[in-house]
Amino acid sequence: MFQKCEGIVIRSTPYGESNKIITLFTREFGKMALMARGARKPNSRLSAITQLLFCGQFLFQQSRGLGTLQQGESIHSFKEIREDLFKTAYSSYLAELLDKGTEESKVNPYLYELFYQTLDYIDEGYDATILTNIFEMKMLQVIGLRPELNQCVNCGSKEGRFAFSIRENGLLCHRCFELDPYLLPVSQATVKLLRLFYYIDLRRLGSISVKPQTKKELRTVLSMYYDEYSGLFLKSRKFLEEIEKMQSMLGPSSKEGD
């Protein structure tokens, strides 16, 4: 039985001497794995369409076990991502986060659109660091994590200065700082952005200009939170951290969108 789907390759693994097993995140079927026979051969018609982040329409043969990829046609080349080391690093990290944070065959058209839109914005030159933060915040809901971002997690106050507490799973107001000696004393700009990123409709994203110190605080909060609660180990995280260090030394390398 042959079926079609729209999807993006989020993992590509060698199998045997000439084959690959690819993992697609699709609009119609959620996450699914397919065997791509002969895809590792240089002249294979499946070679290009089984590359990481290939976005297209796929034709596959479904069976009781692993389905078999037959052919594919490109929808979006993400050319700028493929030609830029920084954009590739961020996009690969997002693909691994999506892969590790989702279950097989669980259909989620919204998440597919979010991933596609995020890659599209990175490709267009929007700030990849901020887009990564937004995607990470959105993925918290998929994983089942819900930090308190609207008020103090202890007393419920919405007024005053706030800091982020990993231990208490959310914001603490200045009256409750003593509850967590290890809380993260972030700026109020960081607090506002954490809340914004959690709720924002990415399709309505405009130009966002974020100071380097605020970006650093966002990365600290999100990295520590994921380490504490997600249970995910992402190999691409270390490489991305090295890229971010390099980026900070070179200065901003991407332009904000309009």
Side-chain angles (χ1 to χ4, degrees), residues 215-234:
K215 287 185 178 182
K216 186 176 180 180
E217 291 178 359
L218 287 166
R219 170 50 48 223
T220 298
V221 170
L222 286 166
S223 294
M224 291 182 68
Y225 192 83
Y226 265 87
D227 287 347
E228 181 68 22
Y229 291 109
S230 74
L232 303 179
F233 174 72
L234 305 177

Side-chain angles (χ1 to χ4, degrees), residues 74-216:
S74 176
I75 292 176
H76 196 318
S77 67
F78 297 125
K79 181 174 180 290
E80 297 301 321
I81 290 177
R82 297 185 185 282
E83 296 179 354
D84 186 287
L85 177 63
F86 294 103
K87 292 178 181 180
T88 298
Y90 284 105
S91 302
S92 300
Y93 168 72
L94 296 179
E96 187 181 9
L97 175 57
L98 182 62
D99 184 20
K100 296 285 181 67
T102 53
E103 301 173 8
E104 292 278 347
S105 305
K106 191 170 183 179
V107 180
N108 190 334
Y110 163 78
L111 189 54
Y112 176 82
E113 289 295 336
L114 176 68
F115 185 52
Y116 178 90
Q117 187 67 71
T118 301
L119 293 180
D120 190 42
Y121 277 149
I122 292 175
D123 195 63
E124 288 181 13
Y126 281 63
D127 191 323
T129 308
I130 296 304
L131 286 165
T132 297
N133 293 156
I134 294 173
F135 193 83
E136 287 173 317
M137 290 300 291
K138 297 294 188 184
M139 278 298 295
L140 291 179
Q141 303 171 49
V142 176
I143 298 169
L145 299 175
R146 293 174 175 80
E148 177 56 73
L149 300 169
N150 293 313
Q151 60 190 22
C152 177
V153 70
N154 182 57
C155 72
S157 174
K158 297 184 179 182
E159 304 293 334
R161 291 180 294 109
F162 290 89
F164 194 89
S165 171
I166 301 294
R167 189 174 73 178
E168 299 296 326
N169 194 30
L171 299 176
L172 283 176
C173 72
H174 64 275
R175 305 168 194 85
C176 302
F177 281 175
E178 62 185 29
L179 284 178
D180 184 2
Y182 304 105
L183 59 77
L184 303 174
V186 296
S187 68
Q188 299 315 292
T190 297
V191 170
K192 289 179 181 178
L193 287 175
L194 286 170
R195 186 181 297 122
L196 174 66
F197 293 170
Y198 193 76
Y199 293 107
I200 192 173
D201 182 344
L202 193 62
R203 293 170 298 181
R204 298 181 181 180
L205 182 68
S207 178
I208 297 180
S209 181
V210 180
K211 295 178 180 179
Q213 180 58 33
T214 305
K215 287 185 178 182
K216 186 176 180 180

